[in-house]
Amino acid sequence: MATSTLSIASVAPRCLVVDDEPRLRQVLVHLMQNDGFSCREAGNGMEAMEMLQHEQVPLVLSDMRMPKMDGIELLRQVRSRYPDTALVMITAVADVEVAVSCLALGAMDYLTKPFHLEEVRARVSQALEKRRLIIENRDYQERLEERVAIQARRLEELFLASVQSFAEALEVKDPYTRGHSIRVSHFSAAIARTMQLDTDVVRQIELGGQVHDIGKIGVREAVLNKPGKLTTEEYAHIMTHPLLGWRILAPLLSDAPLALNIVRSHHERWDGRGVPDGLAHAAIPLEARIATVADSYDAMTSGRPYRGAQLTPEEAITEVRRCSGSQFDPDVVGHSSRRSRAGRSPSPPSATTAEQHVSPPEAVDRADGATKRR
C-alpha cells in the first residue's frame, strides 16, 4: 500500500472539524473527543487543506457554507488528493438538494442542522464503516472475489440508508407522508411479482416506490400541509415534485434507471393528461404505471384532514378499477385486482388496517372531470 494511503486501523482515531462558527465547532469537537477521537479544527476549507497537507485524517466533518473555500470545493479537493478520507457534510434542511449532490461527489453522509448528538455518532460510525469497506474492497478485489461481492452488497445497503434519510427528511416536512413510501414500495413490488417481472426489475421498482416522492422536499411546507383546497398555482407548484425528485436522484441512481422512471413518471396518466411529460399508454414506463396504481391506492386508504374519511381497501380497489383506461393502465389494474382477489392485502405486513395508515398528499380522481390533489 502507498505511503499516502491511510491505515484502516488507528490507535488514536483522528478527525478534522471544519466550520466557520466557533460555537458549533466546539460542540462537535467536544462530542468527538468524548468518543475517543483526537480532533483538529479549521475555520474554512483553505485552512483544512493546509492542515491535511501536514497531517492526513480518516474523517472530516465539514460545514458547506463557509468563506474562502466552501464545503463543496473542499469535498472536491479532498476526494481528489486524499481519497481515503471520509467526509460527512453538515447543512441546513433547506440545502438538502445540495447535500444529495455532495453524496454524488463522494461524501460518505450528511447531517442537518440542528442535529442531535446521537445522530452525529450514528452518521460518523456509518461513514467510517463505509470508508473501511471501500478500502478493503479496493485492496482485496483481485484476490477475494467472493468477499468483494459481500462488501459491494454492504455498500449498497449503506447507500440505501442514505436514500432513506432523504425520505425521512420529507416525513419531517409532511407528517402525513409517514409510512406512505414504504407502503407504495411494498404494493408496487407485489404487483410486479404478480406480473412475473424479473427479480432485478422488482428490486428497482421497490426502490423507486420508496423514493418516488422525494421531490416534495422542494415543495413549500405551506402548500404541502395546507388543510384546504389548493389553488391552481399551488397545485402546479406541488406537481413539480416528480421532475425535481428525478433531478435530485439522477446522479445517485444511474444504476437503477427503472427506479428513476418511477420518480419522474408516477404522476403520468394512461390517457396522457398527467405530468411532467404528458405521456400516454405504452410511452409511460411500465414500472411507473405500476407505481401509479400503488400510490393512488395508498392515498385512498389513508386519511388526510382536507379529504375526509378514507376508503376501505375494497372501496379503493373498486375506485382503481373505475379509473382503469383513463388514469391507470388496464393491464396493471387487472393484475392488482387479481392479487386482491387472491386474498393478499396490498399493504405491507406491518400495516394491519386502513385506519393505521397516515395519508400522503396524493389522491386518485374520484369523479369525471374533477382533479383532486395528488
Side-chain angles (χ1 to χ4, degrees):
M1 186 180 299
T3 57
S4 61
T5 300
L6 297 174
S7 173
I8 297 175
S10 178
V11 175
R14 291 161 294 143
C15 73
L16 174 60
V17 178
V18 190
D19 199 303
D20 61 330
E21 297 181 31
R23 181 186 59 82
L24 181 57
R25 261 203 331 266
Q26 287 301 314
V27 169
L28 287 172
V29 167
H30 181 70
L31 172 64
M32 299 303 291
Q33 287 177 339
N34 285 344
D35 284 354
F37 283 82
S38 173
C39 296
R40 299 290 302 277
E41 301 179 43
N44 56 60
M46 291 184 65
E47 292 181 12
M49 290 304 298
E50 291 176 3
M51 291 182 179
L52 289 173
Q53 288 179 8
H54 302 288
E55 179 185 4
Q56 296 181 44
V57 296
L59 175 68
V60 173
L61 300 174
S62 175
D63 191 20
M64 292 213 291
R65 296 181 180 272
M66 297 180 294
K68 297 184 179 180
M69 181 189 292
D70 63 14
I72 295 178
E73 182 59 25
L74 174 62
L75 169 61
R76 290 194 182 100
Q77 293 203 21
V78 171
R79 291 298 300 157
S80 174
R81 299 171 63 179
Y82 312 110
D84 290 337
T85 297
L87 286 95
V88 176
M89 308 306 294
I90 304 171
T91 181
V93 173
D95 293 329
V96 168
E97 185 174 356
V98 178
V100 177
S101 300
C102 286
L103 289 175
L105 289 172
M108 294 296 185
D109 214 325
Y110 82 103
L111 288 162
T112 56
K113 302 175 184 177
F115 47 76
H116 299 289
L117 298 185
E118 288 303 321
E119 181 186 12
V120 176
R121 290 192 177 97
R123 296 298 176 86
V124 165
S125 177
Q126 179 170 294
L128 290 176
E129 169 70 359
K130 187 173 182 179
R131 170 184 175 271
R132 183 184 68 82
L133 292 172
I134 289 173
I135 293 174
E136 288 187 357
N137 196 17
R138 180 194 63 207
D139 291 344
Y140 297 108
Q141 61 183 348
E142 294 181 356
R143 294 177 292 162
L144 302 173
E145 293 184 2
E146 182 178 356
R147 183 173 181 178
V148 167
I150 294 173
Q151 304 291 33
R153 286 194 296 270
R154 178 59 179 151
L155 287 172
E156 182 178 4
E157 291 172 2
L158 291 169
F159 167 74
L160 293 178
S162 296
V163 172
Q164 180 61 30
S165 296
F166 303 134
E168 291 169 357
L170 174 60
E171 291 183 356
V172 171
K173 287 192 66 173
D174 180 13
Y176 291 101
T177 65
R178 189 165 295 118
H180 166 66
S181 296
I182 295 298
R183 294 192 297 270
V184 171
S185 174
H186 279 265
F187 191 18
S188 298
I191 295 173
R193 292 189 188 98
T194 301
M195 298 177 73
Q196 299 183 336
L197 300 183
D198 292 343
T199 301
D200 182 64
V201 173
V202 174
R203 181 188 65 82
Q204 291 196 49
I205 288 175
E206 202 162 19
L207 174 60
Q210 187 175 352
V211 298
H212 73 284
D213 271 342
I214 212 70
K216 287 180 181 172
I217 287 176
V219 174
R220 298 192 300 270
E221 292 188 38
V223 175
L224 199 59
N225 296 317
K226 184 177 179 180
K229 184 178 180 181
L230 294 176
T231 66
T232 301
E233 185 277 331
E234 289 170 337
Y235 179 79
H237 173 59
I238 203 170
M239 293 309 291
T240 62
H241 77 270
L243 189 55
L244 176 59
W246 179 82
R247 288 172 177 167
I248 290 173
L249 293 176
L252 294 175
L253 297 182
S254 59
D255 292 334
L258 305 188
L260 278 176
N261 287 342
I262 289 174
V263 174
R264 183 182 182 111
S265 301
H266 69 279
H267 278 300
E268 299 289 357
R269 291 174 52 107
W270 184 251
D271 59 14
R273 294 193 297 119
V275 294
D277 302 307
L279 303 178
H281 301 153
I284 306 171
L286 174 60
E287 54 274 13
R289 286 179 261 153
I290 292 171
T292 298
V293 171
D295 192 19
S296 297
Y297 170 86
D298 188 72
M300 290 186 289
T301 55
S302 304
R304 198 150 171 86
Y306 61 82
R307 195 168 60 227
Q310 64 216 39
L311 302 185
T312 65
E314 293 75 17
E315 291 170 336
I317 288 295
T318 299
E319 183 65 17
V320 168
R321 290 173 184 157
R322 187 184 73 80
C323 295
S324 175
S326 58
Q327 186 169 353
F328 307 122
D329 177 352
D331 185 50
V332 174
V333 171
H335 281 88
S336 66
S337 298
R338 282 194 289 275
R339 186 177 186 279
S340 178
R341 286 197 299 271
R344 291 170 287 183
S345 170
S347 302
S350 59
T352 57
T353 65
E355 287 75 21
Q356 291 174 307
H357 295 166
V358 183
S359 174
E362 172 140 1
V364 68
D365 291 354
R366 295 290 309 281
D368 293 336
T371 303
K372 287 185 177 280
R373 177 166 158 186
R374 299 170 59 210

